[in-house]
Amino acid sequence: MAAARSRLRSAAGPAAPDPWPTIMREFEGRPADLVPVLQRTQEAFGYLSPDSVRRVARWLKLSESDVFGVATFYAQFRFSPPGRHRLRVCLGTACHVKGGVQMLETLERRLAVEAGQTTPDGEYDLERVVCLGCCALAPVVTVDDAIYGQMSVLRLQGLLDEHAHA
Amino acid sequence: MTLEPLTRLDAPALSLEIDHQAVSVPAGTTVLRAAELAGVYVPSLCSHKELSPFGGCRLCTVEIEGARGYPLACSTLVADGMEVTTDTVALREMRQEILRLILSEHPSSCLLCGESDDCRRSLSTIRKAGVSTGCRSCPNDGDCELQQVVERVGISEIGYPVAYRGLEAEHDDPFYDRDYNLCILCGRCVRMCHEVRGASVLSFKYRGPRTLIGPAFGTSHLMAGCEFCGACVSVCPTGTLADKVSKWDGVPDGLETSTCPFCSLGCRVELAHKDGALSSVRAGHDVELNDGQLCVRGRFCLPEATHHHSRARQPMLRKGAYFRVASWDETLDEVAARLSGVAPDDVLMLVSGDLANEGLYAAQRFARVGLDGAGVDSTARDRLPGGPVFWSRLFALPISLEALAAADTVIVAGLDTRFSFSVAGVQVRRALRRGGRLVVVDARESNLARLADRWLRARPGDEARELAGLLADVRAGGEGAAGAEAVGGAAVGGEAGGGTLAIVIGPRVFDCPGAGELLPELEALATRQGVSILPLAHGANVRGALELGALAGVLPGPRPATGGALDLARLRAGHLPKVLYLVGESPFATRPDCELVIAQDLYLPPFEVDAFLPAASFVEAEGTLTSIEGRVQELRRVEHLAAGAVHGRALPDWQIFSDLAGRLGRPDLQYGDDAAVRAAIRAEAPGFAAEGDRRRRAMTPLAAGTAPVSAAAAGGRPQDGGSSVEADDGPVGRGRFVLVSEHSLLRHRGIDLAAVVEGLGELHLEEGVALNPDDLARLGVEPGGVVTVGLGGSDLVRVARPDSDCPRGAAYLVRDEAWVGPSRPVRVSIRAGDRSRAARPARRAPVAAAGPRAGDQGGGHGNDR
Ligand code: SF4
Ligand code: SF4
Ligand code: SF4
Ligand code: FES
Ligand code: FES
């Protein structure tokens, strides 16, 4: 019979190399899985690319806009590839009082990006955080895993110069 | 699943009191709706009767005896004995406060400005600005829900710092503009796009003060899969979303309910007119039909299709080397004189299946009777593959859009509803929202395949056989058969507990091999309770063309006829008549070699003609159209512009035939008005609801033995038996493809709508050949490159359009007016093309008859682009 000949196509789309088959095996593909699926996707790729969003949408039978709308509601998701280095400026109470805002503004001006963005050359991610748990060192800036305390505008500029030439 | 916003008709009635007034409403009604029914005004902005409650604006707060706080009327259901108060000092103050907050983020200066009224009167045109900074420069001015609410709630100052978001207005997509600085985040557009359309193009993005409406990643609506149905525009309570074409027309003078002239679903439309001309189109609200929804063509394309500057509005005649404007008298005298001198066997009239019933009937009668048996035929024949008998039996099936929306199981074959038959797509989603199952039979990953519970991916061009097999399984109800599995094992129709089934068949399927096998399956299923079928064909009035005998071999009724000497198939086989009379048709790219070519249409055809008779458009004359369901619905005239050099002298099709008949000495073929034509139809085709009848109507099938006029014209049995797909035994792959050619969905009479409607042109829907991107990569075709399709000896060079919905190994193209290739899917070879040989874009603008002979353009009617 004609229908018996039909190839029932799975909704998953063509198999790709890389992490997708693994990710898709971990979930049932229900719309309710959206947030965990996005988390897993970001873990695998470092960010949510338009292509990832499209794949997730088709898989969970949602529209790309629905997926994007949910993803942008949560601060944890990012939509551009992460920079090579992660600059974090603390604006917790202690750091705020000790001039954290100036640190952030210095970095924003120097890198020409705003907090939450990545420099166009993909070198730095600039983020603001609320308390890193070392308030005694306020104001605090971190570069990747290194913590720099008692920063000033001058020291910060020096740190970046050094880092750029390293 | 979202809440179904409709209350059930059989719900028990509850009694409550609203502002001390006794009201009785069915259970499941919201307090807001109950208040509306009781004639009590409760301000609201985010709620909408077609959408689920949202509770976003908080304007609709009320007090309910015994309930804590201030519940929202829009999202509270009535309960028996409820006592609701809608207007207290506390509520009034709360609403004013909420509205102030909303307005602090809306360019609201005009709303609160003391000079507002003077401003409207004296500065009546400042509103034609690209960006709105207040009501007086807003396209919504005068017809705005937010304005009305502000007036009713009554506020005169804001008291909050006013914020203007400074977002860039979005003008890049076709058809409608967006200025999100005006957006109050009521979410109506998002819910409309998601709940009703199922397109889910729009969503709330980001959060807090940055919240914005739009598609993912800031892509254009076009890229995000927008159907350009305009439903979001229609529900927006502010001027954020606005039609491009009528943006600055202001408040319309009135609305007339009419019928969309672009496809055979026959959606109801409301024509907004201003100063005697069509301004914009809104969706009509017939629950059995389109219920407030339209597709891109109905919603946005009517005004430009009738108003485009290249519209030919004057009669024209060729005299020696000149093609010039002439008076109606001169033109008709000349045409009548030349017609009366020819033998009937030398005349062929081609009539478009887009004409109104009156035009179709008058055309065939003029040819058959007035010209003593001249040939009549229509390209509607191409759109009804399988021939008149086959389609008359399809039209005898239970065809119902309403039943589709309520079906438990929906089977859709070969149809993508993004741009064509979108309203059927909306009904499919409605069925899904009610818990129905969707089975899709399609080689392409259509927009419905993405929503399907089961997607039976047929081989390209094999949808008909696949569907026939599935229907056979469903009919047999075979335990464990694939068909039963596909419909979820549910028994269909008939027996107690059997669910309802709707079968939707896209136009492409009828061109596939094996389509003939569908009819017996459908007829067998149709005998069961609860089965409805929607066989779709392009062309606004193809059913009318069949019922009113505008096809060779068919007389009004329809009754079989022994036809004239000529028909479309013989024409294509090279039997050119001496006289060719084209009524809304232009099935050639160049002038056919006939002695006399007469064209009667809205626009000039793309080749030289000897006489041009300007026909009235769908808003310039009264008439009726026959929908696929058999409804005979009226077209209303909303344009009343003085005939003359400026607005032209177009006449209704029937009137042109009537005037010609008078000159040929046939007063029996003259009609005083459109009603007289309908009276003649009623006399000749009593089974046809000539006077207009909006009810569904099954057709009486033509007798099976109807003599074919010429074998090819009758179409014989539809595409069954030896199929073209198999006739060519080259394997698919390595440059071999299945070529599926489809009818254009953008034809209206003799024109390509994409050429006259700017937005449609921007969509590039029907250009080039669509192929899977992987195939293109393997062929080595660059983005924007061309491919050469080897088609029976002749090569077709077209732009390649990467389309990931296409299966690998298949190519899809839209037949243009001059298509001579096969209508069935065929195997072809495709290779990277030679750009220098690429045909000019297949889509063309209507132009004046080309060449120096078009020299004298007479009264500046401007047919050049
Ligand atoms: S949307 Fe309405 S309230 Fe807002 S500016 Fe336009 S007309 Fe005025
Ligand atoms: S036009 Fe239709 S499909 Fe497009 S965004 Fe609006 S509602 Fe959605
Ligand atoms: S665009 Fe219009 S409908 Fe959509 S959320 Fe904004 S105001 Fe509401
Ligand atoms: S406030 Fe900056 S580290 Fe605690
Ligand atoms: S209408 Fe009820 S909250 Fe908006």
Side-chain angles (χ1 to χ4, degrees):
Chain A
M1 250 173 217
R5 281 187 276 109
S6 309
R7 281 140 298 156
L8 294 180
R9 182 193 179 279
S10 83
D18 56 353
W20 283 111
T22 335
I23 299 178
M24 303 218 304
R25 240 175 285 124
E26 288 169 29
F27 299 91
E28 281 172 40
R30 290 166 307 153
D33 294 334
L34 179 56
V35 172
V37 164
L38 289 174
Q39 283 167 331
R40 187 66 185 78
T41 308
Q42 174 148 313
E43 191 185 306
F45 294 92
Y47 73 110
L48 300 177
S49 67
D51 180 61
S52 304
V53 168
R54 199 179 58 102
R55 277 171 182 269
V56 170
R58 293 253 165 134
W59 173 28
L60 305 185
K61 287 195 182 148
L62 294 165
S63 81
E64 287 167 51
S65 302
D66 291 340
V67 173
F68 187 75
V70 169
T72 53
F73 187 80
Y74 296 94
Q76 57 177 295
F77 296 115
R78 51 178 305 142
F79 302 92
S80 53
R84 278 179 282 280
H85 299 289
R86 185 177 188 200
L87 284 176
R88 287 185 293 175
V89 180
C90 181
L91 291 180
T93 315
C95 294
H96 188 87
V97 171
K98 292 277 213 151
V101 175
Q102 275 105 299
M103 300 305 116
L104 183 62
E105 281 174 356
T106 306
L107 288 173
E108 285 184 339
R109 259 198 303 277
R110 169 150 175 170
L111 302 175
V113 291
E114 282 173 32
Q117 295 179 338
T118 305
T119 52
D121 60 2
E123 199 59 31
Y124 297 107
D125 276 343
L126 182 59
E127 292 169 27
R128 46 195 284 181
V129 290
V130 182
C131 192
L132 290 157
C134 45
C135 308
L137 298 180
V140 177
V141 171
T142 69
V143 182
D144 298 327
D145 292 332
I147 296 179
Y148 299 87
Q150 284 159 357
M151 292 305 277
S152 67
V153 172
L154 273 182
R155 287 191 59 201
L156 188 55
Q157 298 279 19
L159 178 69
L160 278 193
D161 290 344
E162 213 174 280
H163 200 258
H165 294 125
Chain B
M1 262 310 101
T2 39
L3 246 167
E4 177 64 40
L6 307 168
T7 46
R8 297 176 36 163
L9 291 174
D10 53 357
L14 302 177
S15 335
L16 66 160
E17 260 186 27
I18 298 178
D19 291 345
H20 309 295
Q21 187 183 332
V23 193
S24 166
V25 293
T29 310
T30 62
V31 172
L32 185 65
R33 177 87 184 119
E36 193 186 313
L37 291 173
V40 174
Y41 175 76
V42 178
S44 69
L45 277 171
C46 68
S47 121
H48 189 275
K49 61 179 186 308
E50 289 162 37
L51 306 172
S52 64
F54 180 58
C57 73
R58 313 199 77 76
L59 271 175
C60 66
T61 46
V62 291
E63 288 174 16
I64 296 176
E65 190 62 39
R68 270 195 300 136
Y70 298 95
L72 297 175
C74 69
S75 31
T76 308
L77 296 183
V78 292
D80 212 23
M82 219 178 214
E83 286 172 34
V84 183
T85 319
T86 69
D87 198 16
T88 64
V89 175
L91 285 173
R92 231 176 288 155
E93 277 173 6
M94 203 160 22
R95 288 187 190 133
Q96 289 179 344
E97 206 54 29
I98 291 166
L99 202 49
R100 283 191 193 104
L101 277 168
I102 293 175
L103 290 182
S104 72
E105 292 197 4
H106 185 88
S108 52
S109 46
C110 305
L111 285 172
L112 308 172
C113 176
E115 292 168 12
S116 192
D117 285 343
D118 295 342
C119 182
R120 191 199 301 260
R121 253 176 277 122
S122 52
L123 298 173
S124 58
T125 57
I126 58 162
R127 63 195 165 83
K128 289 165 188 151
V131 168
S132 308
T133 51
C135 298
R136 294 303 97 85
S137 60
C138 177
N140 234 26
D141 193 18
D143 196 4
C144 175
E145 276 191 68
L146 184 56
Q147 280 180 340
Q148 287 155 14
V149 167
V150 169
E151 194 164 305
R152 293 297 290 258
V153 172
I155 51 174
S156 52
E157 41 62 54
I158 291 186
Y160 292 103
V162 171
Y164 183 72
R165 296 188 68 182
L167 299 166
E168 203 160 318
E170 300 173 13
H171 298 294
D172 290 344
D173 280 301
F175 302 117
Y176 56 91
D177 287 336
R178 306 179 295 272
D179 181 353
Y180 284 109
N181 295 301
L182 304 180
C183 176
I184 57 168
L185 297 171
C186 70
R188 283 190 189 177
C189 57
V190 176
R191 280 173 290 150
M192 176 54 84
C193 191
H194 186 88
E195 294 174 7
V196 179
R197 301 298 303 197
S200 297
V201 170
L202 303 172
S203 62
F204 283 97
K205 302 187 290 186
Y206 315 105
R207 56 177 178 166
R210 290 177 61 221
T211 307
L212 198 62
I213 305 282
F217 293 104
T219 46
S220 67
H221 281 212
L222 180 57
M223 296 301 294
C226 175
E227 300 180 345
F228 296 101
C229 65
C232 51
V233 182
S234 302
V235 293
C236 180
T238 70
T240 309
L241 308 175
D243 287 28
K244 277 186 205 281
V245 18
S246 61
K247 198 168 168 178
W248 306 124
D249 283 0
V251 185
D253 295 340
L255 292 171
E256 289 280 357
T257 303
S258 186
T259 306
C260 175
F262 290 145
C263 100
S264 49
L265 292 182
C267 290
R268 303 258 78 194
V269 289
E270 305 257 309
L271 304 177
H273 52 92
K274 176 99 179 172
D275 302 332
L278 177 66
S279 166
S280 67
V281 177
R282 309 173 183 192
H285 282 269
D286 181 336
V287 282
E288 288 188 12
L289 239 174
N290 54 318
D291 197 13
Q293 298 300 319
L294 290 172
C295 76
V296 59
R297 286 174 292 167
R299 179 68 171 76
F300 290 115
C301 300
L302 273 82
E304 277 173 282
T306 175
H307 294 154
H308 192 266
H309 62 80
S310 68
R311 174 88 190 272
R313 297 169 180 277
Q314 306 283 356
M316 293 172 89
L317 270 183
R318 181 169 313 287
K319 273 282 163 76
Y322 296 106
F323 187 52
R324 59 172 177 79
V325 169
S327 69
W328 266 117
D329 278 338
E330 185 186 356
T331 310
L332 291 171
D333 287 345
E334 171 81 17
V335 169
R338 295 194 62 177
L339 280 176
S340 57
V342 242
D345 283 357
D346 288 330
V347 184
L348 175 62
M349 175 188 272
L350 289 181
V351 193
S352 162
D354 290 331
L355 260 60
N357 294 326
E358 291 76 3
L360 287 170
Y361 175 82
Q364 61 84 31
R365 191 145 177 259
F366 177 75
R368 287 190 170 122
V369 183
L371 299 177
D372 302 313
V376 187
D377 211 347
S378 170
T379 54
R381 177 181 297 289
D382 300 336
R383 287 143 194 260
L384 302 174
V389 177
F390 180 74
W391 276 87
S392 71
R393 286 170 67 183
L394 284 177
F395 287 137
L397 296 170
I399 304 176
S400 167
L401 263 177
E402 193 191 14
L404 167 59
D408 299 319
T409 303
V410 180
I411 297 176
V412 180
L415 183 68
D416 187 299
T417 61
R418 184 172 174 195
F419 296 114
S420 58
F421 302 110
S422 303
V423 168
V426 170
Q427 306 295 28
V428 170
R429 270 115 171 195
R430 209 163 268 177
L432 291 183
R433 235 164 74 219
R434 293 193 160 125
R437 283 175 58 80
L438 173 62
V439 182
V440 165
V441 179
D442 209 323
R444 296 179 56 118
E445 186 173 357
S446 65
N447 64 341
L448 295 175
R450 280 174 222 144
L451 303 174
D453 296 287
R454 280 284 189 207
W455 174 20
L456 305 172
R457 192 161 203 181
R459 283 178 300 160
D462 208 23
E463 282 93 346
R465 281 192 292 228
E466 197 83 24
L467 176 64
L470 173 66
L471 295 181
D473 287 0
V474 170
R475 192 158 57 87
E479 301 77 35
E485 188 201 335
V487 295
V492 172
E495 325 85 58
T500 51
L501 170 70
I503 304 161
V504 184
I505 309 172
R508 171 165 33 101
V509 178
F510 295 105
D511 274 326
C512 291
E517 296 157 28
L518 286 173
L519 188 58
E521 291 299 338
L522 293 171
E523 286 180 339
L525 278 169
T527 57
R528 301 195 188 173
Q529 277 285 321
V531 174
S532 64
I533 292 146
L534 201 61
L536 296 171
H538 287 304
N541 205 7
V542 282
R543 177 160 171 174
L546 176 53
E547 290 197 73
L548 296 174
L551 296 169
V554 185
L555 286 178
R559 291 168 288 140
T562 45
L566 283 161
D567 57 48
L568 196 59
R570 269 179 239 177
L571 179 73
R572 288 196 173 131
H575 298 281
L576 286 178
K578 282 193 184 139
V579 177
L580 188 59
Y581 191 160
L582 300 169
V583 186
E585 298 262 36
S586 63
F588 314 97
T590 51
R591 179 184 162 111
D593 194 13
C594 302
E595 279 173 22
L596 177 66
V597 179
I598 306 165
Q600 172 172 326
D601 207 350
L602 309 182
Y603 292 83
L604 286 169
F607 44 80
E608 291 179 15
V609 295
D610 301 291
F612 179 78
L613 311 172
S617 77
F618 39 79
V619 286
E620 294 163 350
E622 303 272 331
T624 53
L625 286 172
T626 317
S627 83
I628 210 125
E629 294 177 298
R631 301 170 194 269
V632 179
Q633 311 185 102
E634 73 283 12
L635 279 170
R636 296 301 309 278
R637 173 173 187 183
V638 296
E639 301 224 331
H640 298 273
L641 301 167
V646 180
H647 299 301
R649 299 183 163 82
L651 290 177
D653 289 297
W654 62 263
Q655 193 173 342
I656 299 174
F657 297 122
S658 171
D659 291 352
L660 278 174
R663 283 172 169 79
L664 290 173
R666 295 300 301 252
D668 53 325
L669 299 185
Q670 284 188 279
Y671 315 95
D673 55 18
D674 49 305
V677 190
R678 288 192 286 273
I681 298 177
R682 193 180 47 226
E684 198 175 342
F688 186 82
E691 297 305 327
D693 182 345
R694 298 214 42 256
R695 283 172 302 182
R696 284 191 295 273
R697 181 175 50 89
M699 187 161 156
T700 316
L702 270 164
T706 303
V709 193
S710 66
R717 303 246 342 251
Q719 321 288 2
D720 53 8
S723 77
S724 311
V725 175
E726 259 133 27
D728 175 348
D729 47 10
V732 172
R734 269 174 289 119
R736 307 283 302 165
F737 289 82
V738 174
L739 177 73
V740 180
S741 64
E742 301 177 73
H743 285 289
S744 164
L745 61 105
L746 301 182
R747 302 287 300 177
H748 174 68
R749 300 182 59 129
I751 51 163
D752 173 11
L753 288 176
V756 294
V757 179
E758 198 182 329
L760 277 182
E762 286 170 27
L763 294 180
H764 303 290
L765 292 182
E766 302 192 334
E767 283 175 16
V769 182
L771 286 149
N772 187 289
D774 293 343
D775 282 339
L776 283 176
R778 245 181 296 138
L779 291 172
V781 178
E782 303 281 305
V786 297
V787 289
T788 302
V789 181
L791 197 66
S794 67
D795 279 354
L796 206 66
V797 185
R798 291 279 168 86
V799 175
R801 186 152 49 87
D803 183 347
S804 52
D805 295 349
C806 292
R808 293 211 197 149
Y812 290 80
L813 67 74
V814 170
R815 297 172 212 163
D816 58 22
E817 59 273 24
W819 176 254
V820 287
S823 56
R824 296 174 177 196
V826 280
R827 293 213 170 141
V828 294
S829 68
I830 295 183
R831 58 183 191 279
D834 175 359
R835 183 161 267 294
S836 62
R837 290 183 52 214
R840 274 172 302 118
R843 323 310 305 175
R844 52 155 184 98
V847 289
R853 294 169 73 189
D856 180 10
Q857 289 277 311
H861 40 81
N863 283 303
D864 283 316
R865 293 200 73 182

